[in-house]
Amino acid sequence: MNIDIIIPSQHLPITESFFMGDASHAADRAARAYLFAEERARRSANTIRRHNADLAVFARYLLAVGLPPVPVDAAGVVLLATSAEPWAGMSWGMVKGFAAWMLTEGYAMASVNARLATVRLYASWAAQAGMLPAEMVVLIKGVKGYAHRDAHNLDAARPITRIGAKKATFHVLSRDQVRRLKVQPDTPQGRRDGVLLHLLLDHGLRCGEVARLQAGSIDPERGTMTFYRPKVYKTQTHTLTPGTQAALVAYLGKDVPLTGSLLWASRKSGHLTTSGMSERAITSRVAELGRGLGIAQLSAHDLRHTWATLAARAGTPVDRLQDAGGWNSPVMALRYLEAAAIANTGVRGFHDEA
């Protein structure tokens, strides 16, 4: 359709005005969808999974207080996560009520804070897309989580402080438990488990990092391992500990080839398959090995936590612990430094100069 050039004082014919209005609405919808897609593309896959889960809980809350169900897409993801339109009409009261509802339902304080942060973030995207007024977003951003002292007081006053199977605290294994756990049978599965446990306990790898390891990540001649840490977007090289080297020598080339996935999955019979272990399989296997030592709910992250705690106790400097653990900030490494029995041990002051 040909449209003449129009000077500001002229108007489009009514039919063409309608066409332009429809086109602008379509363009706005596309831009809103693109904004969410672009922002989500900036985040890691793990972050997106957490956001999806957080917003699914938010959708359950909205349903619980009498609002219509939030639609989901073909993948089962609530549209609050992928589109700006469902955020239209969202209010400060809804978000504040969400915080109170989670406390009543017994969610852990860390989960409450994380989910509120997700809601605040997506509400800000919806505002950029024009679905929420700026003043409402300011109010929603004012719905903060709970500080440590507030959380302690609130937990003391409510009967349920955590729902689900996730543990409130990590297991920190003793050195004796670490030694016993590393001793595995001289079988294909046992040798594989020995490598798995050394990677977690001697190198502090995350579960996902272990699952991604390839046999080619290991350099036997140099005694090193090079691997990618997707959570912090880093490729690092570790010198293998003697125990890890011994476990790899017993396993590589004998039970698995020198190419492909490093850790192969196993059947119930104990025989190895030709496919790599998934994160879920690693989690399940560590839990089973923990039960063998009488430790309930042992996880791969417990072993990483144990590695960091024992390294800190041995006097590892914070900067070295941060680098070896693959953290971007020293804050995480500092969590593993325990308080001294005498609070001012090692503190020097002007009185030492006399």
Side-chain angles (χ1 to χ4, degrees):
M1 176 172 55
N2 294 323
I3 300 177
D4 294 333
I5 297 175
I6 301 166
I7 61 175
S9 61
Q10 293 179 313
H11 300 282
L12 284 170
I14 187 71
T15 54
E16 294 177 348
S17 295
F18 283 148
F19 169 77
M20 292 299 290
D22 291 343
S24 65
H25 289 317
D28 287 347
R29 285 195 298 272
R32 287 195 289 268
Y34 176 74
L35 187 147
F36 268 54
E38 181 185 38
E39 291 291 350
R40 283 166 64 86
R42 297 172 186 269
R43 274 71 183 175
S44 69
N46 283 339
T47 298
I48 292 302
R49 280 194 291 270
R50 180 173 60 79
H51 285 177
N52 292 347
D54 291 346
L55 294 171
V57 174
F58 187 44
R60 289 202 297 272
Y61 153 72
L62 295 174
L63 184 63
V65 297
L67 293 173
V70 179
V72 299
D73 64 15
V77 178
V78 292
L79 294 190
L80 286 166
T82 58
S83 174
E85 277 80 0
W87 290 91
M90 192 64 62
S91 70
W92 169 86
M94 292 178 184
V95 179
K96 188 68 175 176
F98 181 44
W101 178 81
M102 286 190 287
L103 292 179
T104 302
E105 291 292 302
Y107 285 96
M109 285 299 178
S111 297
V112 172
N113 289 343
R115 285 169 183 150
L116 285 175
T118 299
V119 168
R120 291 194 301 268
L121 176 65
Y122 279 69
S124 72
W125 296 352
Q128 292 179 49
M131 300 308 295
L132 284 176
E135 58 270 19
M136 183 56 66
V137 176
V138 172
L139 292 174
I140 288 174
K141 286 184 175 181
V143 182
K144 301 297 185 184
Y146 299 94
H148 179 75
R149 182 175 62 182
D150 298 332
H152 178 78
N153 293 336
L154 286 166
D155 277 346
R158 58 183 183 142
I160 302 174
T161 59
R162 179 174 292 270
I163 62 175
K166 191 173 180 179
K167 305 192 295 280
T169 58
F170 295 113
H171 288 300
V172 177
L173 276 59
S174 67
R175 292 189 178 278
D176 180 63
Q177 287 175 317
V178 168
R179 282 191 289 268
R180 289 165 55 201
L181 192 59
K182 287 180 178 178
V183 177
Q184 295 297 320
D186 190 18
T187 63
Q189 185 182 51
R191 289 187 287 269
R192 191 253 353 243
D193 289 344
V195 172
L196 168 64
L197 294 167
H198 277 84
L199 292 171
L200 295 169
L201 287 165
D202 284 13
H203 298 274
L205 268 63
R206 298 177 178 91
C207 183
E209 294 164 354
V210 173
R212 289 176 174 82
L213 278 177
Q214 301 292 300
S217 304
I218 310 300
D219 186 336
E221 293 185 5
R222 295 179 58 199
T224 60
M225 166 180 62
T226 301
F227 58 99
Y228 182 62
R229 307 197 105 144
K231 189 168 185 178
V232 291
Y233 309 106
K234 289 181 179 179
T235 296
Q236 289 190 328
T237 298
H238 275 204
T239 297
L240 299 171
T241 67
T244 303
Q245 281 188 290
L248 285 165
V249 167
Y251 172 70
L252 270 179
K254 180 175 183 180
D255 298 309
V256 298
L258 299 177
T259 59
S261 295
L262 176 63
L263 297 178
W264 281 12
S266 56
R267 299 185 176 89
K268 291 183 178 179
S269 63
H271 295 294
L272 300 183
T273 69
T274 56
S275 59
M277 291 185 83
S278 65
E279 292 184 45
R280 180 171 293 184
I282 291 171
T283 298
S284 176
R285 188 58 183 162
V286 169
E288 184 175 347
L289 294 171
R291 287 192 292 272
L293 283 184
I295 304 171
Q297 292 185 291
L298 186 67
S299 70
H301 198 68
D302 286 328
L303 303 189
R304 173 172 162 83
H305 194 85
T306 295
W307 165 81
T309 300
L310 295 181
R313 287 177 184 173
T316 303
V318 172
D319 62 328
R320 301 308 312 130
L321 187 60
Q322 174 191 339
D323 196 31
W327 291 297
N328 281 331
S329 165
V331 173
M332 291 301 297
L334 284 167
R335 293 175 58 188
Y336 298 97
L337 299 183
E338 299 168 308
I342 304 299
N344 63 344
T345 297
V347 176
R348 298 183 63 82
F350 71 91
H351 54 272
D352 296 310
E353 299 174 3

